[in-house]
């Protein structure tokens, strides 16, 4: 399968029209149609549902939707590889891609990134947010260089650095909520309350073990992927959000407050990358900057 034909396929998927895609690609429609049919024959699957004579709209089959997603990833990786090779001189420049959960550990990575850019202003950083599953999937596909995770990983597949940050679980609530009068929140306090939890924890065991009940037995009012959205649910009175500290600002005139869990529930933070990863000069320089910051004393 040629990269050129993948580009043709994405153009048709985007235009939803073979004639429209042919025009944008500066190809004749018969030429484009022939290339697409050859791809379908090579894969042994129908990828496109052609419109009727009265309708030129093209839709994707299930296999076509799968190919579209993979083609976007493949071409993105090819572009990154071309850029890295083009910049493989002594000049340190290029892009560093990081996937991260919502954690204060991003602060240390930002400090390292600023250090790199002070010396190498043509290095650019791109941080995408996601839960642990999303980050590891992107790491495995080569779409990111590093992942920042609130979990340990299979050390046979990944290298890791422990970030000196402990993330504290607690409850985000309105300041006028009954539980706001408490200094810390116990499992018994939450068992009858409407709860808002992260999508990842909805299918995990960490909170279930802490609260000593299956989550299906609790009043789960809503789930969130990003805590900012969860905080809006809390502010509007939907319930109490189980989350990490320091992500939502609860100081000043914020209507929200945070209370830690008791017994305390803490997580470590880890910078992770694939074993035997071949880094670009920009990514390697960033990793050295992170290691440098980890070696410094807290006062520095």
């Amino acid at each position: 399968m040629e990269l050129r034909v993948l580009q043709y396929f994405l153009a048709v998927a985007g235009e939803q029209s073979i004639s429209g895609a042919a025009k944008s690609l500066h190809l004749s429609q018969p030429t484009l149609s022939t290339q697409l049919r050859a791809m379908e024959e090579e894969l042994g699957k129908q990828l496109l549902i052609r419109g009727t004579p009265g309708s030129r709209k093209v839709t994707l089959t299930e296999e076509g939707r799968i190919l579209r997603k993979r083609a976007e990833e493949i071409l993105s990786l090819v572009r990154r590889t071309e850029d890295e090779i083009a910049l493989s001189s002594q000049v340190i420049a290029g892009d560093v891609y990081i996937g991260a959960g919502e954690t204060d550990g991003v602060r240390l990575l930002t400090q390292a990134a600023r250090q790199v850019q002070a010396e190498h202003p043509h290095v650019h950083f791109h941080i995408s947010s996601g839960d642990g599953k999303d980050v590891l999937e992107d790491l495995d596909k080569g779409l990111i260089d590093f992942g920042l995770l609130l979990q340990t990983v299979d050390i046979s597949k990944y290298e890791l650095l422990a970030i000196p940050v402990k993330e504290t679980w607690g409850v985000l609530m309105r300041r006028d909520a009954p539980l706001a009068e408490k200094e810390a929140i116990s499992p018994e306090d939450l068992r009858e309350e409407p709860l808002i939890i992260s999508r990842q924890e909805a299918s995990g065991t960490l909170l279930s073990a802490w609260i000593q009940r299956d989550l299906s037995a609790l009043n789960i009012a809503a789930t969130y992927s990003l805590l900012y959205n969860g905080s809006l649910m809390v502010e509007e009175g939907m319930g109490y959000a189980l989350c990490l500290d320091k992500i939502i600002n609860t100081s000043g005139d914020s209507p929200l407050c945070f209370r830690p869990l008791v017994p305390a529930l803490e997580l470590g933070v880890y910078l992770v990358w694939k074993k035997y990863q071949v880094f670009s000069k920009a990514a390697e320089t960033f990793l050295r900057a992170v290691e440098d910051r980890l070696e410094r004393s807290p006062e520095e």
Side-chain angles (χ1 to χ4, degrees):
M1 187 186 307
E2 297 182 29
L3 294 177
R4 171 177 51 83
V5 182
L6 284 179
Q7 292 172 326
Y8 293 170
F9 173 76
L10 287 179
V12 173
E15 295 282 346
Q16 295 185 318
S17 164
I18 293 176
S19 60
K23 185 176 180 180
S24 68
L25 293 167
H26 305 291
L27 295 172
S28 69
Q29 184 173 336
T31 297
L32 180 56
S33 295
T34 299
Q35 294 279 1
L36 294 171
R37 291 196 184 280
M39 174 186 278
E40 289 179 318
E41 290 175 5
E42 180 182 353
L43 295 174
K45 295 288 184 179
Q46 181 180 357
L47 303 172
L48 303 169
I49 301 173
R50 280 77 172 171
T52 61
S55 171
R56 296 185 176 182
K57 184 176 180 181
V58 170
T59 57
L60 300 180
T61 63
E62 182 179 353
E63 291 79 8
R65 290 193 294 272
I66 293 171
L67 180 61
R68 180 179 189 175
K69 183 174 186 296
R70 298 303 180 208
E72 289 170 345
E73 293 170 353
I74 289 167
L75 293 175
S76 174
L77 192 55
V78 168
R79 285 190 293 271
R80 280 192 58 196
T81 303
E82 289 173 343
D83 291 342
E84 289 171 3
I85 291 174
L87 292 168
S88 63
S89 64
Q90 294 303 311
V91 176
I92 297 177
D95 299 283
V96 179
Y97 294 84
I98 304 166
E102 291 182 294
T103 164
D104 195 53
V106 172
R107 188 179 302 277
L108 184 140
L109 300 191
T110 302
Q111 293 166 351
R114 186 180 63 181
Q115 175 184 329
V116 170
Q117 287 186 328
E119 300 175 6
H120 310 286
H122 297 296
V123 175
H124 307 286
F125 292 87
H126 310 275
I127 296 182
S128 56
S129 298
D131 59 27
K133 180 181 177 183
D134 294 335
V135 171
L136 285 176
E137 283 183 358
D138 286 349
L139 200 59
D140 289 340
K141 292 173 183 175
L143 301 178
I144 56 177
D145 300 300
F146 304 97
L148 190 65
L149 300 173
L150 298 168
Q151 64 188 74
T152 55
V153 293
D154 179 358
I155 60 173
S156 68
K157 289 181 62 180
Y158 307 99
E159 301 283 0
L160 61 83
L161 281 176
I163 304 298
V165 171
K166 287 294 182 184
E167 292 290 5
T168 302
W169 276 93
V171 181
L172 188 69
M173 64 187 82
R174 290 171 57 108
R175 290 187 183 274
D176 58 3
L179 293 183
E181 299 176 2
K182 293 179 170 284
E183 293 184 0
I185 306 300
S186 69
E188 293 77 14
D189 294 327
L190 298 177
R191 285 175 181 161
E192 305 301 326
E193 300 293 343
L195 304 180
I196 302 167
I197 65 175
S198 73
R199 179 188 67 170
Q200 187 173 5
E201 288 306 321
S203 58
T205 59
L206 183 70
L207 291 178
S208 179
W210 177 83
I211 209 167
Q212 298 176 2
R213 283 192 183 178
D214 191 282
L215 294 183
S216 62
L218 301 175
N219 180 8
I220 306 298
T223 64
Y224 63 85
S225 293
L226 297 176
L227 184 55
Y228 176 74
N229 293 333
S231 73
L232 297 181
M233 298 179 195
V234 173
E235 194 171 333
E236 293 301 322
M238 284 186 66
Y240 295 90
L242 283 153
C243 61
L244 298 174
D245 196 5
K246 300 179 184 177
I247 298 175
I248 299 297
N249 185 357
T250 57
S251 62
D253 59 357
S254 170
L256 305 178
C257 62
F258 179 89
R259 298 291 182 265
L261 301 181
V262 59
L265 187 58
E266 293 184 333
L267 292 177
V269 181
Y270 304 90
L271 183 68
V272 178
W273 62 96
K274 286 199 299 186
K275 223 161 199 180
Y276 313 115
Q277 172 84 12
V278 178
F279 286 124
S280 65
K281 282 188 171 63
E284 186 174 355
T285 303
F286 170 70
L287 181 57
R288 299 289 86 80
V290 173
E291 291 174 333
D292 178 59
R293 300 202 74 83
L294 293 178
E295 291 173 359
R296 297 182 188 183
S297 65
E299 290 76 15
E300 295 179 315

